[in-house]
Amino acid sequence: MECVFGLVGEGFAVVAADTSAVHSILVHKSNEDKIMVLDSHKLIAASGEPGDRVQFTEYIQKNVALYQFRNGIPLTTAAAANFTRGELATALRKNPYSVNILLAGYDKETGPALYYIDYIATLHKVDKGAFGYGSYFSLSTMDRHYHSRMSVEEAIDLVDKCIVEIRSRLVVAPPNFVIKIVDKDGAREYAWRETVKDSIASSA
Amino acid sequence: MKLDTSGLESTAPFFGSSHELNDGFSAVPSFEIPDTIDFDGFQKEAVQMVKPAKGTTTLAFIFKEGVMVAADSRASMGGYISSQSVKKIIEINPYMLGTMAGGAADCQFWHRNLGIKCRLHELANKSRISVTGASKLLANILFSYRGMGLSVGTMIAGWDETGPGLYYVDSEGGRLKGTRFSVGSGSPYAYGVLDNGYRYDMSIEEAAELARRAIYHATFRDAASGGVASVYYVGPNGWKKLSGDDVGELHYEYYPVLPSTVEQEMVEVAAA
């Protein structure tokens, strides 16, 4: 039931994820931020088992930071994606992590990039990608309306189209989504799309 | 190139008892396996057996004055109520509480272990550990045991320098920060009462009554919850137990038996 999707535009990449933390029929919270800021210009949108999701993405985040400390320069998006995939692959036949990841980043030399990394360590560089039951609705919507070098307004419009489609067609649709964007100015939160508000705004 | 073929050797010889050595081949180190046809399935079954064991209702929420923590006290083994007086709110240290749902031994042991780690942190760093830190310690431990059959669904509630803190931690490795949680088989019922009656600005008495009421309603509908509804409050000076009421008695407090009009009385038929 976790929905994660993203796409690449002109000079930026945008990812959206639902924000429900669910345990069988119970929604524990509906403002859980599943898009982690990996470093200044990278985002990891992850979906999967709750323990694995947080532990694995934090592990990647700390190792990326370590590389930067040791070598004085940050990893490129491609390098970070390949590192992530390598860790998933190594663990796969011993102690697999059930996490699906969309890694979005911006490099000065190569521009924006989006990588699709699934739980069995598949790696693809893509223009648009999605995970979860929501992918059944968002992928076709994105396929129909996507074109290369979209502007931020067009891309956010497409993201909203996907969210509307998921909300109306998915039987147990998550109520809230978070949208984050990464471009030359860095990785940051763009917006929340909420239909259910927790009574006091608690940060994840 | 020498290949390692130890994986191809069989542990059981063809004939005779397993203690005999055949033809000078050394016995491969072996261990007893359960007497089943499907060993992998058996392992999964064993883990699944523990899973529904979270027969309990616990809840905690943050409000203006601090954190309110409440739980029932019933332990059930299938249809048998093994105890009505289990302490499900565990005192980790004077300013942090943990709730118990799932395996009692697992929760008690790991909470005690967490208390030890918190104390060591205090001694090493000359300051109290935060609720964030304590919950992360527990979550990391539980994550490292994932898939091995631990059953823990706990909430860590406490007061630290940043104010009141509440985290949900479970044996799958999940850890969530939040303002309202309920864990256990009775949790959906408790959420129904808790969500509706919750306001951030409540007094301590109002919050305690909300917590008590939510536990009571959960024990009313959930067979695996019952006994005593305990309510604890965590404030800036640490935790304090506020009440422990038998839910049977609470029932008649909330819904007293009203004298009802008798519609029809049976009368003796006069002898003909």
Side-chain angles (χ1 to χ4, degrees):
Chain A
M1 301 299 173
E2 296 194 349
C3 306
V4 174
F5 59 94
L7 56 114
V8 176
E10 173 70 63
F12 69 94
V14 61
V15 279
D18 78 290
T19 59
S20 306
V22 166
H23 195 108
S24 95
I25 59 162
L26 201 56
V27 178
H28 274 304
K29 64 190 289 210
S30 34
N31 58 358
E32 171 79 353
D33 188 353
K34 297 178 191 168
I35 306 182
M36 167 184 280
V37 173
L38 194 63
D39 70 14
S40 61
H41 286 75
K42 289 184 201 40
L43 291 170
I44 282 198
S47 73
E49 300 267 339
D52 288 355
R53 190 190 87 233
V54 172
Q55 293 278 0
F56 182 72
T57 53
E58 282 187 0
Y59 169 72
I60 299 296
Q61 188 192 49
K62 302 317 173 204
N63 273 291
V64 167
L66 182 61
Y67 179 94
Q68 185 167 357
F69 286 132
R70 279 191 175 144
N71 300 289
I73 52 164
L75 279 171
T76 59
T77 312
N82 277 282
F83 170 66
T84 306
R85 190 212 94 92
E87 290 304 308
L88 282 171
T90 310
L92 182 63
R93 288 199 164 75
K94 290 187 179 162
N95 202 6
Y97 293 103
S98 308
V99 203
N100 296 312
I101 285 171
L102 280 178
L103 201 157
Y106 183 91
D107 304 308
K108 250 192 3 216
E109 299 81 19
T110 51
L114 183 66
Y115 287 88
Y116 171 105
I117 307 168
D118 78 4
Y119 72 104
I120 39 177
T122 310
L123 174 67
H124 287 301
K125 184 173 186 305
V126 292
D127 288 328
K128 49 187 151 46
F131 283 112
Y133 284 120
S135 69
Y136 287 99
F137 311 106
S138 51
L139 278 173
S140 57
T141 311
M142 287 197 287
D143 286 339
R144 169 67 183 85
H145 296 289
Y146 178 87
H147 56 87
S148 56
R149 306 174 63 182
M150 288 171 87
S151 69
V152 177
E153 290 74 30
E154 288 176 311
I156 296 296
D157 199 58
L158 180 50
V159 165
D160 280 328
K161 276 199 176 69
C162 293
I163 291 176
V164 164
E165 191 59 24
I166 291 170
R167 275 193 181 139
S168 52
R169 288 296 186 185
L170 185 54
V171 60
V172 197
N176 301 337
F177 285 81
V178 64
I179 305 173
K180 294 198 180 178
I181 193 169
V182 59
D183 60 16
K184 65 177 185 354
D185 301 319
R188 60 193 180 280
E189 196 177 279
Y190 183 87
W192 283 70
R193 299 284 187 245
E194 287 175 307
T195 53
V196 168
K197 279 190 163 54
D198 269 348
S199 49
I200 49 169
S202 59
S203 51
Chain B
M1 184 176 68
K2 193 167 188 322
L3 297 174
D4 175 13
T5 53
S6 58
L8 297 171
E9 286 159 354
S10 65
T11 49
F14 289 114
F15 302 108
S17 76
S18 52
H19 298 295
E20 277 176 22
L21 300 173
N22 295 328
D23 298 311
F25 286 117
S26 55
V28 176
S30 63
F31 50 88
E32 300 256 344
I33 56 171
D35 193 12
T36 61
I37 308 163
D38 171 26
F39 178 63
D40 294 316
F42 164 80
Q43 271 208 314
K44 271 205 188 117
E45 255 182 69
V47 174
Q48 288 300 325
M49 230 171 60
V50 199
K51 275 223 166 117
K54 297 195 180 132
T56 187
T57 310
T58 59
L59 62 87
F61 57 89
I62 294 180
F63 67 112
K64 191 181 60 172
E65 307 281 350
V67 198
M68 202 54 79
V69 184
D72 75 313
S73 68
R74 175 174 290 183
S76 47
M77 286 166 18
Y80 174 68
I81 297 173
S82 45
S83 171
Q84 288 273 65
S85 52
V86 177
K87 271 192 70 173
K88 296 191 187 178
I89 297 182
I90 299 160
E91 296 140 16
I92 298 170
N93 61 41
Y95 59 98
M96 244 196 287
L97 293 173
T99 58
M100 177 200 293
D106 288 337
C107 291
Q108 278 177 357
F109 179 87
W110 289 110
H111 278 123
R112 192 65 184 264
N113 183 276
L114 179 64
I116 295 170
K117 290 212 160 63
C118 292
R119 178 70 184 136
L120 286 171
H121 176 101
E122 271 179 33
L123 292 168
N125 299 91
K126 270 193 165 176
S127 74
R128 280 180 179 170
I129 191 171
S130 61
V131 183
T132 311
S135 60
K136 190 76 178 175
L137 278 176
L138 184 62
N140 285 342
I141 293 168
L142 294 176
F143 181 73
S144 63
Y145 284 97
R146 82 194 151 111
M148 297 192 206
L150 282 186
S151 173
V152 172
T154 185
M155 294 177 284
I156 306 292
W159 187 290
D160 58 31
E161 287 140 8
T162 61
L166 179 60
Y167 284 83
Y168 163 77
V169 179
D170 71 22
S171 45
E172 269 100 69
R175 172 175 168 267
L176 297 171
K177 181 179 160 89
T179 48
R180 286 204 297 285
F181 287 116
S182 175
V183 183
S185 56
S187 62
Y189 306 114
Y191 269 123
V193 174
L194 181 58
D195 286 336
N196 195 252
Y198 175 84
R199 281 172 304 113
Y200 182 71
D201 333 276
M202 279 190 286
S203 65
I204 297 177
E205 292 75 33
E206 288 177 313
E209 183 52 30
L210 178 64
R212 194 174 307 122
R213 200 79 196 233
I215 294 287
Y216 157 73
H217 280 284
T219 60
F220 184 70
R221 286 295 183 179
D222 178 31
S225 303
V228 166
S230 316
V231 181
Y232 281 64
Y233 163 69
V234 188
N237 301 319
W239 58 259
K240 184 164 143 54
K241 178 160 184 178
L242 294 182
S243 67
D245 303 290
D246 181 284
V247 295
E249 283 165 25
L250 279 180
H251 173 80
Y252 291 106
E253 249 182 65
Y254 295 137
Y255 303 104
V257 180
L258 298 164
S260 54
T261 53
V262 177
E263 284 176 10
Q264 248 190 351
E265 257 188 52
M266 279 178 61
V267 289
E268 285 280 339
V269 174

